[in-house]
Amino acid sequence: LAKEQQLVTVSCAKVMVKFPVSSVVLADYMKGKHKSLQEKVFQYFREHPELQTPVEISKDEHRELTMRQLLGLVREAGIRPLKYLQEDPVQYFSLSEAAGSIDLSLGIKLGVQFSLWGGSVMNLGTQRHRDKYYAGIDNLDYLGCFAMTELHHGSNVQGIQTTATFDVSTDEFVINTPNEGATKWWIGNAAVHGKFATVFARLILPSEECNDGLDMGIHAFIVPIRDLDSHEPLPGVEIRDCGYKVGLNGVDNGALRFHSVRIPRENLLNRFGDVSRDGQYTSSLPTINKRFAATLGELVGGRVGLAYGSVGVLKMAVTIAVRYSLLRQQFGPPKQPEISILDYQSQQQKLMPMLASAYAFHFATVYLVGKYSDMKKSQDEEEIADVHALSAGLKAYVTSYTAKSLNTCREACGGHGYASVNRFGILRNDHDIFQTFEGDNTVLLQQVAGDLLKQYKAKFQGGTFNVTWNYLRDMMSTYLSEANPVIARREGEDHLRDPKFQLDAFRYRTSRLLHSAALRLRKHSKTLGSFEAWNRCLNHLLILAESHIESVILARFIEVVNSCKDRNARAVLKLLCDLYALERIWNDIGSYRNVDYVAPNKAKAILRLTEYLSFEVRSVARELVDALGIPDFVLRAPIGMQSGQYTEYTQFVGF
Ligand code: HXD
């Protein structure tokens, strides 16, 4: 009750400074060593206003501008994406976030060129490929594509139908698109700029037993698609344009069909499987499935980048929405000045947990990028599996959250949020596909669920959990022990803000979902078979995966709070962390209530405290968005400028 009174009495007043936090200290803590490279990118664009993407731009102009932006970064600003990707991935991802803040089309074009095309050559090929292609990829002479997806097969990569048949008489592979459905589709860089493509195809070897040859499974091949000098499509390569998209129109997605295109044998990216001059297949990996997993496993960098980049978008959106909500005054007590819309509880509820989430996701994806970087060095199998599941889960969870938040921000900023110049529409359209490409979110969450179940099963057979999953080790004994009726009723602020209570609650939920999913799957498999049983439990499995990812994010956030040395910054981070945790618990309060993990009085206390913490975060909202560190000329939304002035807005729309 005391809290409620406090809320009522101060809700309209100027808020007291309870958290004297410096946004500079906070920004430093957030960015760490990423800062200088991002500043270099920003500096380049600050000096080149002609490279700024305008709000109104045609598809063709946008494609050319994005290309010029990328060329400028690499050839004028001296940015070396491929070098960073190979030698210091942490730098690479921070570069990609900065490029994406300039224009998401630029971030994705950069990703296609370096993560996908460059990454496939470097990681799936061997030294001869690196020797031949590194310089051209690095300096953008060799612009390239990543041709995996087909018209009829996206997520089901094993179903793709393009073939690469070895012709022993000429020592070549013959690349073929056997039917319309096997046309490579959505291929970035294909419609206009690409010279090469990494083409994923079934490797077919001639065989005496079988007329159609032996299908060795999916392999990757370097296929030149345009002449290096004339830029004309090469013989047998048919290129079409995928046309105008909902967003990301600066990226030239195209379709590719191959009509018996011949490439030398050495163009097979042969790290995981090779073909000798006389047509013999060799591989260090014993089965098609293992080779396939190893091949796709090398591509996890794309997901890591998308998770990280999506947080960048969330930061921009929440910055604009918070600044506008501080600026905009609307209604107020009788005969008194109007109040900021951020002083309304409803606006706080929309934006403050989102601000807390932006911080939570920032730390979680920084952690992921660090793990990815370590994994690249160690090549440790356990670490590889861990990064794989974590990147799938974070990519899915964060991009879905950001996509929803972009809508919420637009709505929270009323009519002005609808002006294109204020960015929400552009960001929403550009970011929307993050939920689908590089692994559809619904498919990725199933991989996380599958991984959890695998480890759960292994546990009963005496196995151990991966590092990130470690908490599940204690699951049976701690989290699933009967919900404690005394704890279920505890509602004091100290208790609700105790990280132990919060983590226990998250982990209890995950453990329960995991345990019950395993039981249900076992039961249904007996009658339906495993495929149908999985489908019968699908929604349950998706929630399980999300719940697990939420736990991982919270655990990371708690660690970050504890290791922050600056007392004021730590207090604010703790506030954000508590808000993140309690809002998530409240979002699924029904599940906690159903099993009496939380009694009615406690549920109510969680809601009240969530509202109160949102109110407290509001008092430092300006500092918190400033600390996200996005310069005005990058943000470019007149309603979201750091100065908090409207004036520029009217100029922008031509008054
Ligand atoms: C971020 C890298 C550093 C991620 C790039 C992912 C781009 C995916 C696009 C792809 O699915 C379709 C295309 O354009 O080739």
Side-chain angles (χ1 to χ4, degrees), residues 85 92-93 96-97 107-116 145-149 185-190 245 248 251-254 301-309 433-434 436-439:
L85 182 62
Y92 176 76
F93 291 116
S96 133
E97 184 198 19
I108 295 304
K109 184 122 179 142
L110 181 138
V112 169
Q113 170 67 10
F114 295 103
S115 287
L116 301 188
C145 315
F146 180 83
M148 178 182 271
T149 296
W185 205 267
W186 290 132
I187 309 307
N189 267 347
K245 295 168 288 176
L248 291 185
V251 182
D252 53 320
N253 292 85
R303 281 173 202 164
V304 174
L306 291 179
Y308 199 72
I433 195 65
F434 279 48
T436 305
F437 62 22
E438 290 300 292

Short mmCIF file of all heavy atoms in Angstrom, two decimals, residues 85 92-93 96-97 107-116 145-149 185-190 245 248 251-254 301-309 433-434 436-439, ligand 1:
data_model
loop_
_atom_site.label_atom_id
_atom_site.label_comp_id
_atom_site.label_asym_id
_atom_site.label_seq_id
_atom_site.Cartn_x
_atom_site.Cartn_y
_atom_site.Cartn_z
N LEU A 85 36.44 -10.78 -38.98
CA LEU A 85 35.67 -12.02 -38.86
C LEU A 85 36.60 -13.20 -38.57
O LEU A 85 36.30 -14.07 -37.75
CB LEU A 85 34.89 -12.27 -40.16
CG LEU A 85 33.99 -13.50 -40.21
CD1 LEU A 85 32.89 -13.41 -39.17
CD2 LEU A 85 33.36 -13.65 -41.59
N TYR A 92 34.14 -7.86 -35.37
CA TYR A 92 33.29 -8.01 -36.56
C TYR A 92 31.82 -7.74 -36.21
O TYR A 92 31.12 -7.03 -36.93
CB TYR A 92 33.44 -9.42 -37.14
CG TYR A 92 32.52 -9.65 -38.31
CD1 TYR A 92 32.80 -9.11 -39.56
CD2 TYR A 92 31.33 -10.37 -38.15
CE1 TYR A 92 31.93 -9.29 -40.63
CE2 TYR A 92 30.46 -10.55 -39.22
CZ TYR A 92 30.77 -10.01 -40.45
OH TYR A 92 29.90 -10.17 -41.51
N PHE A 93 31.36 -8.31 -35.10
CA PHE A 93 29.94 -8.15 -34.78
C PHE A 93 29.62 -6.72 -34.35
O PHE A 93 28.53 -6.23 -34.61
CB PHE A 93 29.51 -9.17 -33.72
CG PHE A 93 29.51 -10.57 -34.25
CD1 PHE A 93 30.37 -11.54 -33.75
CD2 PHE A 93 28.68 -10.93 -35.30
CE1 PHE A 93 30.40 -12.82 -34.26
CE2 PHE A 93 28.70 -12.21 -35.84
CZ PHE A 93 29.56 -13.16 -35.31
N SER A 96 29.24 -4.89 -37.50
CA SER A 96 27.98 -5.19 -38.17
C SER A 96 26.81 -4.47 -37.48
O SER A 96 25.90 -3.97 -38.14
CB SER A 96 27.81 -6.71 -38.21
OG SER A 96 26.55 -7.11 -37.82
N GLU A 97 26.87 -4.34 -36.15
CA GLU A 97 25.81 -3.59 -35.44
C GLU A 97 25.84 -2.12 -35.88
O GLU A 97 24.80 -1.52 -36.16
CB GLU A 97 26.00 -3.69 -33.92
CG GLU A 97 24.87 -3.00 -33.15
CD GLU A 97 25.20 -2.69 -31.68
OE1 GLU A 97 26.39 -2.66 -31.33
OE2 GLU A 97 24.26 -2.47 -30.91
N GLY A 107 23.88 -3.27 -43.11
CA GLY A 107 24.29 -4.34 -42.19
C GLY A 107 24.10 -5.71 -42.83
O GLY A 107 24.95 -6.59 -42.70
N ILE A 108 23.00 -5.87 -43.56
CA ILE A 108 22.73 -7.19 -44.15
C ILE A 108 23.59 -7.42 -45.40
O ILE A 108 24.09 -8.51 -45.62
CB ILE A 108 21.22 -7.36 -44.45
CG1 ILE A 108 20.43 -7.36 -43.13
CG2 ILE A 108 20.94 -8.64 -45.22
CD1 ILE A 108 20.86 -8.40 -42.11
N LYS A 109 23.78 -6.37 -46.17
CA LYS A 109 24.66 -6.53 -47.36
C LYS A 109 26.07 -6.93 -46.89
O LYS A 109 26.71 -7.81 -47.46
CB LYS A 109 24.71 -5.23 -48.15
CG LYS A 109 25.50 -5.32 -49.42
CD LYS A 109 24.66 -4.95 -50.62
CE LYS A 109 25.45 -5.03 -51.91
NZ LYS A 109 24.63 -5.56 -53.00
N LEU A 110 26.51 -6.28 -45.83
CA LEU A 110 27.81 -6.62 -45.25
C LEU A 110 27.80 -8.08 -44.77
O LEU A 110 28.76 -8.83 -44.99
CB LEU A 110 28.12 -5.65 -44.11
CG LEU A 110 29.43 -5.79 -43.36
CD1 LEU A 110 30.02 -4.40 -43.11
CD2 LEU A 110 29.27 -6.48 -42.03
N GLY A 111 26.69 -8.47 -44.14
CA GLY A 111 26.58 -9.84 -43.63
C GLY A 111 26.59 -10.87 -44.76
O GLY A 111 27.21 -11.92 -44.66
N VAL A 112 25.91 -10.55 -45.87
CA VAL A 112 25.87 -11.47 -47.00
C VAL A 112 27.29 -11.63 -47.57
O VAL A 112 27.76 -12.73 -47.83
CB VAL A 112 24.88 -10.98 -48.09
CG1 VAL A 112 25.04 -11.78 -49.37
CG2 VAL A 112 23.44 -11.06 -47.59
N GLN A 113 27.96 -10.50 -47.76
CA GLN A 113 29.29 -10.55 -48.36
C GLN A 113 30.32 -11.26 -47.47
O GLN A 113 31.09 -12.08 -47.94
CB GLN A 113 29.78 -9.11 -48.67
CG GLN A 113 31.23 -8.98 -49.09
CD GLN A 113 31.53 -9.63 -50.45
OE1 GLN A 113 30.62 -10.02 -51.18
NE2 GLN A 113 32.81 -9.77 -50.77
N PHE A 114 30.28 -10.91 -46.17
CA PHE A 114 31.37 -11.42 -45.32
C PHE A 114 30.97 -12.65 -44.49
O PHE A 114 31.68 -13.64 -44.50
CB PHE A 114 31.91 -10.29 -44.45
CG PHE A 114 32.55 -9.20 -45.28
CD1 PHE A 114 31.89 -8.01 -45.53
CD2 PHE A 114 33.79 -9.40 -45.86
CE1 PHE A 114 32.46 -7.02 -46.33
CE2 PHE A 114 34.38 -8.43 -46.67
CZ PHE A 114 33.71 -7.24 -46.89
N SER A 115 29.83 -12.57 -43.78
CA SER A 115 29.46 -13.75 -42.97
C SER A 115 29.09 -14.93 -43.86
O SER A 115 29.50 -16.06 -43.61
CB SER A 115 28.23 -13.45 -42.10
OG SER A 115 28.55 -12.62 -41.04
N LEU A 116 28.30 -14.64 -44.88
CA LEU A 116 27.74 -15.77 -45.65
C LEU A 116 28.67 -16.20 -46.79
O LEU A 116 29.14 -17.33 -46.82
CB LEU A 116 26.36 -15.41 -46.18
CG LEU A 116 25.30 -15.05 -45.13
CD1 LEU A 116 23.93 -14.91 -45.76
CD2 LEU A 116 25.23 -16.10 -44.02
N CYS A 145 27.60 -14.35 -53.26
CA CYS A 145 26.28 -14.72 -52.72
C CYS A 145 26.40 -16.04 -51.95
O CYS A 145 27.38 -16.78 -52.09
CB CYS A 145 25.30 -15.00 -53.84
SG CYS A 145 25.30 -13.83 -55.18
N PHE A 146 25.34 -16.31 -51.25
CA PHE A 146 25.24 -17.54 -50.48
C PHE A 146 23.96 -18.21 -50.95
O PHE A 146 22.86 -17.81 -50.55
CB PHE A 146 25.18 -17.17 -49.00
CG PHE A 146 25.08 -18.32 -48.06
CD1 PHE A 146 26.20 -19.01 -47.67
CD2 PHE A 146 23.85 -18.71 -47.54
CE1 PHE A 146 26.12 -20.05 -46.77
CE2 PHE A 146 23.76 -19.75 -46.64
CZ PHE A 146 24.89 -20.42 -46.26
N ALA A 147 24.12 -19.19 -51.86
CA ALA A 147 22.93 -19.74 -52.51
C ALA A 147 22.54 -21.08 -51.89
O ALA A 147 22.90 -22.15 -52.39
CB ALA A 147 23.18 -19.88 -54.00
N MET A 148 21.82 -20.99 -50.79
CA MET A 148 21.36 -22.22 -50.15
C MET A 148 19.87 -22.41 -50.41
O MET A 148 19.43 -23.39 -50.98
CB MET A 148 21.65 -22.15 -48.65
CG MET A 148 21.16 -23.38 -47.88
SD MET A 148 21.47 -23.23 -46.12
CE MET A 148 23.08 -23.93 -45.99
N THR A 149 19.07 -21.42 -50.01
CA THR A 149 17.61 -21.54 -50.10
C THR A 149 17.12 -21.74 -51.53
O THR A 149 17.62 -21.12 -52.45
CB THR A 149 16.98 -20.26 -49.51
OG1 THR A 149 17.32 -20.21 -48.14
CG2 THR A 149 15.48 -20.25 -49.66
N TRP A 185 16.65 -19.06 -54.37
CA TRP A 185 15.71 -17.94 -54.21
C TRP A 185 16.12 -17.08 -53.02
O TRP A 185 16.64 -17.60 -52.04
CB TRP A 185 14.30 -18.51 -54.00
CG TRP A 185 13.23 -17.55 -54.41
CD1 TRP A 185 12.60 -16.65 -53.62
CD2 TRP A 185 12.67 -17.39 -55.72
NE1 TRP A 185 11.68 -15.94 -54.34
CE2 TRP A 185 11.70 -16.37 -55.64
CE3 TRP A 185 12.89 -18.01 -56.96
CZ2 TRP A 185 10.96 -15.95 -56.74
CZ3 TRP A 185 12.14 -17.59 -58.06
CH2 TRP A 185 11.18 -16.58 -57.93
N TRP A 186 15.86 -15.81 -53.11
CA TRP A 186 16.18 -14.85 -52.05
C TRP A 186 17.68 -14.65 -51.88
O TRP A 186 18.15 -14.35 -50.78
CB TRP A 186 15.63 -15.29 -50.67
CG TRP A 186 14.16 -15.24 -50.54
CD1 TRP A 186 13.36 -16.22 -50.04
CD2 TRP A 186 13.29 -14.14 -50.86
NE1 TRP A 186 12.05 -15.83 -50.05
CE2 TRP A 186 11.99 -14.55 -50.56
CE3 TRP A 186 13.49 -12.86 -51.40
CZ2 TRP A 186 10.88 -13.73 -50.77
CZ3 TRP A 186 12.39 -12.05 -51.60
CH2 TRP A 186 11.11 -12.49 -51.28
N ILE A 187 18.42 -14.83 -52.94
CA ILE A 187 19.87 -14.83 -52.79
C ILE A 187 20.40 -13.39 -52.83
O ILE A 187 20.34 -12.73 -53.88
CB ILE A 187 20.52 -15.70 -53.90
CG1 ILE A 187 19.86 -17.09 -53.96
CG2 ILE A 187 22.02 -15.80 -53.66
CD1 ILE A 187 19.80 -17.85 -52.65
N GLY A 188 20.89 -12.93 -51.69
CA GLY A 188 21.42 -11.56 -51.58
C GLY A 188 22.64 -11.39 -52.45
O GLY A 188 23.46 -12.31 -52.57
N ASN A 189 22.77 -10.24 -53.09
CA ASN A 189 23.88 -9.91 -54.01
C ASN A 189 23.69 -10.52 -55.39
O ASN A 189 24.52 -10.29 -56.26
CB ASN A 189 25.26 -10.35 -53.47
CG ASN A 189 25.96 -9.24 -52.71
OD1 ASN A 189 25.55 -8.09 -52.77
ND2 ASN A 189 27.02 -9.58 -52.00
N ALA A 190 22.65 -11.36 -55.57
CA ALA A 190 22.52 -12.05 -56.86
C ALA A 190 21.92 -11.14 -57.93
O ALA A 190 22.35 -11.15 -59.08
CB ALA A 190 21.68 -13.32 -56.72
N LYS A 245 10.69 -5.72 -51.87
CA LYS A 245 10.35 -6.48 -50.65
C LYS A 245 9.68 -5.58 -49.62
O LYS A 245 9.66 -4.37 -49.77
CB LYS A 245 11.63 -7.07 -50.05
CG LYS A 245 12.33 -8.10 -50.91
CD LYS A 245 13.74 -8.41 -50.39
CE LYS A 245 14.69 -7.28 -50.64
NZ LYS A 245 16.03 -7.49 -50.09
N LEU A 248 14.36 -3.88 -46.34
CA LEU A 248 15.73 -4.22 -46.79
C LEU A 248 15.89 -4.11 -48.30
O LEU A 248 16.53 -4.96 -48.93
CB LEU A 248 16.11 -5.64 -46.35
CG LEU A 248 16.32 -5.88 -44.86
CD1 LEU A 248 16.81 -7.31 -44.63
CD2 LEU A 248 17.34 -4.91 -44.25
N VAL A 251 19.19 -4.35 -50.33
CA VAL A 251 19.85 -5.63 -50.63
C VAL A 251 19.20 -6.24 -51.87
O VAL A 251 17.97 -6.36 -51.94
CB VAL A 251 19.74 -6.62 -49.44
CG1 VAL A 251 20.48 -7.91 -49.75
CG2 VAL A 251 20.28 -5.98 -48.18
N ASP A 252 20.03 -6.57 -52.85
CA ASP A 252 19.54 -7.04 -54.15
C ASP A 252 19.36 -8.56 -54.16
O ASP A 252 20.21 -9.30 -54.64
CB ASP A 252 20.51 -6.60 -55.26
CG ASP A 252 21.96 -7.01 -54.98
OD1 ASP A 252 22.39 -6.92 -53.81
OD2 ASP A 252 22.65 -7.46 -55.92
N ASN A 253 18.22 -9.00 -53.66
CA ASN A 253 17.97 -10.44 -53.65
C ASN A 253 17.54 -10.91 -55.04
O ASN A 253 16.69 -10.29 -55.67
CB ASN A 253 16.89 -10.79 -52.63
CG ASN A 253 17.37 -10.57 -51.22
OD1 ASN A 253 17.29 -9.47 -50.70
ND2 ASN A 253 17.90 -11.61 -50.60
N GLY A 254 18.09 -12.01 -55.45
CA GLY A 254 17.76 -12.54 -56.77
C GLY A 254 17.56 -14.04 -56.76
O GLY A 254 17.70 -14.70 -55.72
N GLY A 301 27.63 -18.29 -37.29
CA GLY A 301 28.00 -16.88 -37.16
C GLY A 301 26.90 -15.93 -37.63
O GLY A 301 26.73 -14.84 -37.07
N GLY A 302 26.17 -16.32 -38.65
CA GLY A 302 25.08 -15.48 -39.16
C GLY A 302 24.04 -15.23 -38.08
O GLY A 302 23.57 -14.11 -37.87
N ARG A 303 23.71 -16.28 -37.36
CA ARG A 303 22.71 -16.14 -36.28
C ARG A 303 23.22 -15.28 -35.15
O ARG A 303 22.48 -14.47 -34.58
CB ARG A 303 22.37 -17.51 -35.72
CG ARG A 303 21.42 -18.22 -36.59
CD ARG A 303 21.22 -19.63 -36.12
NE ARG A 303 20.74 -20.37 -37.27
CZ ARG A 303 20.72 -21.66 -37.37
NH1 ARG A 303 21.17 -22.40 -36.38
NH2 ARG A 303 20.26 -22.24 -38.44
N VAL A 304 24.47 -15.49 -34.83
CA VAL A 304 25.06 -14.68 -33.76
C VAL A 304 24.93 -13.20 -34.16
O VAL A 304 24.49 -12.36 -33.37
CB VAL A 304 26.54 -15.06 -33.55
CG1 VAL A 304 27.21 -14.13 -32.56
CG2 VAL A 304 26.67 -16.51 -33.09
N GLY A 305 25.27 -12.91 -35.41
CA GLY A 305 25.21 -11.54 -35.90
C GLY A 305 23.80 -10.99 -35.89
O GLY A 305 23.58 -9.82 -35.56
N LEU A 306 22.84 -11.82 -36.25
CA LEU A 306 21.46 -11.32 -36.29
C LEU A 306 20.92 -11.05 -34.89
O LEU A 306 20.20 -10.07 -34.67
CB LEU A 306 20.56 -12.31 -37.03
CG LEU A 306 20.82 -12.42 -38.53
CD1 LEU A 306 19.90 -13.44 -39.17
CD2 LEU A 306 20.65 -11.06 -39.23
N ALA A 307 21.25 -11.91 -33.95
CA ALA A 307 20.80 -11.68 -32.57
C ALA A 307 21.39 -10.35 -32.08
O ALA A 307 20.69 -9.49 -31.54
CB ALA A 307 21.25 -12.83 -31.66
N TYR A 308 22.66 -10.18 -32.32
CA TYR A 308 23.36 -8.98 -31.88
C TYR A 308 22.80 -7.73 -32.57
O TYR A 308 22.52 -6.71 -31.94
CB TYR A 308 24.85 -9.16 -32.22
CG TYR A 308 25.79 -8.27 -31.47
CD1 TYR A 308 26.05 -8.48 -30.13
CD2 TYR A 308 26.45 -7.24 -32.12
CE1 TYR A 308 26.94 -7.67 -29.44
CE2 TYR A 308 27.35 -6.42 -31.44
CZ TYR A 308 27.59 -6.65 -30.10
OH TYR A 308 28.47 -5.86 -29.42
N GLY A 309 22.60 -7.87 -33.89
CA GLY A 309 22.08 -6.73 -34.66
C GLY A 309 20.66 -6.37 -34.27
O GLY A 309 20.27 -5.20 -34.27
N ILE A 433 12.13 -9.38 -41.25
CA ILE A 433 12.63 -10.64 -41.81
C ILE A 433 13.68 -11.29 -40.91
O ILE A 433 13.99 -12.48 -41.06
CB ILE A 433 13.16 -10.41 -43.24
CG1 ILE A 433 13.36 -11.71 -44.02
CG2 ILE A 433 14.46 -9.62 -43.22
CD1 ILE A 433 12.10 -12.46 -44.29
N PHE A 434 14.17 -10.55 -39.92
CA PHE A 434 15.13 -11.16 -38.98
C PHE A 434 14.50 -12.38 -38.30
O PHE A 434 15.19 -13.25 -37.80
CB PHE A 434 15.55 -10.15 -37.91
CG PHE A 434 16.63 -9.18 -38.32
CD1 PHE A 434 16.55 -8.49 -39.51
CD2 PHE A 434 17.72 -8.93 -37.49
CE1 PHE A 434 17.53 -7.57 -39.88
CE2 PHE A 434 18.71 -8.02 -37.84
CZ PHE A 434 18.61 -7.35 -39.05
N THR A 436 12.80 -14.55 -39.74
CA THR A 436 12.67 -15.67 -40.68
C THR A 436 14.01 -16.15 -41.24
O THR A 436 14.26 -17.35 -41.29
CB THR A 436 11.75 -15.24 -41.86
OG1 THR A 436 10.52 -14.78 -41.31
CG2 THR A 436 11.50 -16.38 -42.80
N PHE A 437 14.86 -15.18 -41.67
CA PHE A 437 16.06 -15.67 -42.35
C PHE A 437 17.13 -16.18 -41.38
O PHE A 437 17.06 -15.93 -40.19
CB PHE A 437 16.60 -14.70 -43.39
CG PHE A 437 17.07 -13.33 -42.97
CD1 PHE A 437 17.46 -13.04 -41.69
CD2 PHE A 437 17.16 -12.32 -43.94
CE1 PHE A 437 17.94 -11.77 -41.35
CE2 PHE A 437 17.62 -11.05 -43.61
CZ PHE A 437 18.01 -10.79 -42.31
N GLU A 438 18.04 -16.92 -41.94
CA GLU A 438 19.09 -17.58 -41.14
C GLU A 438 18.47 -18.46 -40.06
O GLU A 438 18.95 -18.52 -38.94
CB GLU A 438 20.03 -16.56 -40.52
CG GLU A 438 20.91 -15.85 -41.51
CD GLU A 438 21.81 -16.80 -42.28
OE1 GLU A 438 22.70 -17.37 -41.68
OE2 GLU A 438 21.59 -16.97 -43.49
N GLY A 439 17.40 -19.13 -40.40
CA GLY A 439 16.71 -20.00 -39.46
C GLY A 439 15.42 -19.34 -39.00
O GLY A 439 15.44 -18.34 -38.29
C1 HXD B 1 25.21 -10.56 -39.55
C2 HXD B 1 25.20 -11.51 -40.63
C3 HXD B 1 26.57 -10.19 -39.12
C4 HXD B 1 23.90 -12.02 -40.96
C5 HXD B 1 23.56 -11.94 -42.38
C6 HXD B 1 22.35 -12.72 -42.65
C7 HXD B 1 21.70 -12.34 -43.90
C8 HXD B 1 20.74 -13.38 -44.30
C9 HXD B 1 20.22 -13.20 -45.65
C10 HXD B 1 19.94 -14.47 -46.36
O1 HXD B 1 19.20 -15.37 -45.63
C11 HXD B 1 19.31 -14.19 -47.65
C12 HXD B 1 20.26 -13.49 -48.54
O2 HXD B 1 20.13 -12.26 -48.68
O3 HXD B 1 21.13 -14.13 -49.12
#
